[in-house]
């Protein structure tokens, strides 16, 4: 397979081990934003976040809610595919997340006042709420608990990652 080449990943611990690259997709002014963990196989090949099986689940959920996927902004905490889809607990986890903040932060900064950011899973939740390094962060403790972001500009509505829904 051909993977899109990462841009600006100099010095990242995944610079040579990570596969593919997917910048955020969707309109810059979207009031609704979804943040995932990292790319999977299909996303790495196509260079688009939530393109694969989990993306299909996300698309179906949005459709059932009457939301056009083309009108939302979607990104990831890590913009490449970690080796073996292994990020959480990996020795490179924190370094990769902090290096990729250069791609996540603009998604958050561009969020219109009173917009909504939906972190999909615990990794995204910790990144969006600046809780990296805090022990015991679990999405089930925050699921659907609407709150303000640390800057008090937008709403944060945490939920489970679509791949979690796939597994039942």
């Amino acid at each position: 397979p051909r993977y899109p080449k990462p841009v600006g990943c100099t010095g990242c611990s995944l610079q040579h081990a990570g596969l593919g690259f997917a910048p955020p997709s969707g309109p810059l002014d979207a009031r609704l934003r979804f943040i995932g963990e990292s790319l999977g196989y299909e996303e790495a090949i196509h260079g688009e976040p939530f393109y694969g099986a989990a993306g299909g689940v996300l698309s179906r959920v949005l459709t059932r809610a009457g939301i056009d996927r083309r009108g939302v902004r979607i990104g990831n905490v890590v913009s490449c595919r970690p080796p073996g889809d292994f990020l959480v607990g990996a020795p490179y986890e924190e370094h990769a997340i902090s290096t990729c903040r250069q791609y996540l932060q603009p998604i958050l900064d561009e969020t219109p006042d009173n917009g909504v950011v939906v972190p999909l899973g615990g990794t995204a939740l910790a990144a969006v709420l600046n809780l990296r390094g805090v022990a015991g962060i679990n999405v089930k403790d925050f699921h659907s608990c609407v709150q303000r972001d640390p800057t008090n500009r937008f709403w944060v509505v945490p939920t489970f990652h679509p791949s979690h829904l796939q597994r039942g």
Side-chain angles (χ1 to χ4, degrees):
R2 301 192 65 189
Y3 295 99
K5 183 177 170 140
V7 185
C9 295
T10 305
C12 177
S13 53
L14 294 179
Q15 181 178 1
H16 301 292
L19 298 173
F21 178 81
S25 66
L28 292 173
D29 62 347
R31 297 193 61 73
L32 181 58
R33 289 149 190 268
F34 292 87
I35 307 296
E37 180 180 294
S38 62
L39 303 186
Y41 177 77
E42 293 293 325
E43 290 88 356
I45 290 173
H46 294 282
E48 183 179 335
F50 286 91
Y51 185 90
V57 173
L58 178 62
S59 293
R60 288 191 298 279
V61 168
L62 291 173
T63 298
R64 289 194 71 174
I67 299 169
D68 184 351
R69 180 178 168 142
R70 294 172 299 188
V72 302
R73 190 123 171 97
I74 302 173
N76 282 300
V77 173
V78 172
S79 296
C80 73
R81 179 182 181 214
D85 293 328
F86 174 49
L87 180 65
V88 176
Y92 46 76
E93 175 184 11
E94 292 305 321
H95 189 259
I97 288 172
S98 65
T99 301
C100 255
R101 189 73 187 198
Q102 65 182 311
Y103 303 113
L104 173 61
Q105 195 59 50
I107 300 171
L108 302 176
D109 291 345
E110 299 159 348
T111 304
D113 289 346
N114 290 312
V116 176
V117 174
V118 181
L120 301 167
T123 302
L125 172 64
V128 169
L129 292 180
N130 291 327
L131 298 174
R132 296 293 319 155
V134 176
I137 299 300
N138 193 318
V139 73
K140 71 179 180 185
D141 298 328
F142 290 81
H143 177 61
S144 298
C145 293
V146 178
Q147 54 198 304
R148 299 295 280 184
D149 78 294
T151 66
N152 200 31
R153 283 191 324 98
F154 54 84
W155 296 100
V156 178
V157 183
T159 194
F160 296 101
H161 193 280
S163 64
H164 180 78
L165 301 174
Q166 284 178 294
R167 292 188 296 268

